[in-house]
Amino acid sequence: MKDILTAPYMVEMIRTVTNMYNHGWDERNGGNVSMLLDEADVAEYLDTETAIREIKTGFSAPQLDGKYFLVTGTGKYFKNVQYEPEINLGIVRLTDGGETARLLWGFSDGGNFTSEFPAHMMSHAARLSVDPENRIIMHCHPSNLLAMTYVHTLDEREFTRTLWRMSTECIVVFPEGVNVLPWMVCGTNEIGEATAEKMLTARLVVWAQHGIYGCGRTLDEAFGLIETAEKGAEIYMKIAHLPILNTITDEDLHKLEERFGQKGREGYLD
Ligand code: 13P
Ligand code: ZN
């Protein structure tokens, strides 16, 4: 068996969570990431039949039965992942219709997967139903997006339109817009279900006064979505209190739709 720490997906996961920490998106243990893995990619490195222990998930997700995930640990600091991946990350296989997670590697201090496991797994199931190639669910706490949820309406159309106007790239990178959930208690099945529902229509879901969820086929895609939305929010927080003399108009946004062959979400542009 090859060394799991040399697996390309492991290397990329460690680099990505380190980069997220360096962007200031993941203070303390803030944020969590999960990656869907193919059985063949796990079997090259681990005995898939032997579980270190079994963990009850507290929910069922029959669509994910038998699937493998590399996931960050609860209470773990992203800044430490690169130094002690085996403590801070784990690889699990879901069984019993998603009710049990068999730990195959990691969480070696007796730890557990992220407290946001329900939101991650339910979001994976939702995204796979609209994009069979989706592999990543990413959650973090970028400051400007968080700040924006204190001073901007949470209406999804308005929130999206504001971000689209904050930089030319926004409508190109997330033409479907961002969905928004009101403040809710985190780490519960309820917020998991609500997030998954929102993930059916957009790859970005803002959790008001908490953070954001992004998803994608690759870590780069999920990271890039959050990075672009956070840049938009940063511009907003820099200018919202100043007299606005110029902006990107709906007419300009229509020109971008044409130039990049990407339609903005139906009904979001005048
Ligand atoms: P975990 O440490 O359980 O992953 O929680 C961090 C977080 O961001 C909660 O929303
Ligand atoms: Zn969080």
Side-chain angles (χ1 to χ4, degrees):
M1 294 264 175
K2 295 200 242 170
D3 177 1
I4 185 77
L5 293 178
T6 66
Y9 52 80
M10 181 68 73
V11 172
E12 211 194 338
M13 178 69 130
I14 293 168
R15 283 184 186 158
T16 301
V17 297
T18 304
N19 199 15
M20 291 171 76
Y21 176 75
N22 290 338
H23 272 63
W25 299 349
D26 298 280
E27 74 291 344
R28 199 174 184 274
N29 64 307
N32 18 79
V33 182
S34 60
M35 178 195 279
L36 173 64
L37 300 173
D38 286 338
E39 182 161 46
D41 289 333
V42 179
E44 260 186 75
Y45 304 92
L46 301 174
D47 171 8
T48 55
E49 296 305 316
T50 311
I52 298 165
R53 55 195 152 96
E54 293 194 345
I55 307 165
K56 288 287 167 205
T57 64
F59 58 84
S60 77
Q63 315 91 312
L64 302 180
D65 193 69
K67 295 206 182 299
Y68 296 82
F69 294 92
L70 170 60
V71 59
T72 55
T74 185
K76 302 304 191 213
Y77 295 23
F78 277 15
K79 77 181 177 62
N80 296 336
V81 173
Q82 62 179 319
Y83 306 112
E84 293 182 308
E86 196 160 353
I87 289 179
N88 295 291
L89 300 172
I91 292 178
V92 295
R93 183 184 197 192
L94 292 186
T95 56
D96 297 338
E99 289 180 26
T100 304
R102 288 167 59 79
L103 179 66
L104 301 177
W105 173 87
F107 305 142
S108 63
D109 62 349
N112 200 350
F113 42 67
T114 171
S115 61
E116 304 295 0
F117 204 60
H120 278 255
M121 293 303 113
M122 292 174 194
S123 294
H124 273 290
R127 283 311 301 178
L128 286 170
S129 74
V130 292
D131 178 8
E133 291 186 46
N134 192 87
R135 289 191 175 274
I136 309 296
I137 301 293
M138 179 179 285
H139 165 63
C140 55
H141 305 161
S143 304
N144 294 290
L145 278 163
L146 241 140
M148 193 170 156
T149 66
Y150 287 84
V151 297
H152 193 283
T153 170
L154 300 181
D155 176 86
E156 289 171 341
R157 180 175 182 272
E158 289 309 315
F159 203 93
T160 295
R161 285 172 54 79
T162 296
L163 288 178
W164 282 351
R165 285 195 299 263
M166 290 305 111
S167 100
T168 301
E169 288 289 293
C170 280
I171 194 172
V172 181
V173 174
F174 49 92
E176 77 272 45
V178 298
N179 287 340
V180 183
L181 281 181
W183 186 89
M184 293 173 75
V185 175
C186 57
T188 62
N189 287 354
E190 287 69 37
I191 202 168
E193 282 155 16
T195 307
E197 170 79 29
K198 294 287 186 192
M199 279 276 177
L200 290 170
T201 50
R203 290 165 298 160
L204 288 167
V205 179
V206 169
W207 280 8
Q209 294 88 47
H210 183 133
I212 191 163
Y213 270 73
C215 66
R217 297 178 174 189
T218 62
L219 284 164
D220 267 359
E221 182 185 352
F223 186 98
L225 279 165
I226 293 173
E227 192 176 28
T228 309
E230 169 63 1
K231 172 60 78 73
E234 182 180 354
I235 306 297
Y236 178 76
M237 294 309 297
K238 281 191 200 298
I239 67 165
H241 58 291
L242 299 172
I244 308 295
L245 302 183
N246 310 293
T247 191
I248 298 174
T249 63
D250 279 35
E251 200 189 334
D252 297 331
L253 291 168
H254 281 303
K255 285 184 194 157
L256 288 169
E257 284 182 315
E258 213 167 294
R259 165 73 180 82
F260 291 95
Q262 297 262 42
K263 274 302 256 177
R265 181 121 155 213
E266 190 65 41
Y268 273 29
L269 287 182
D270 292 335

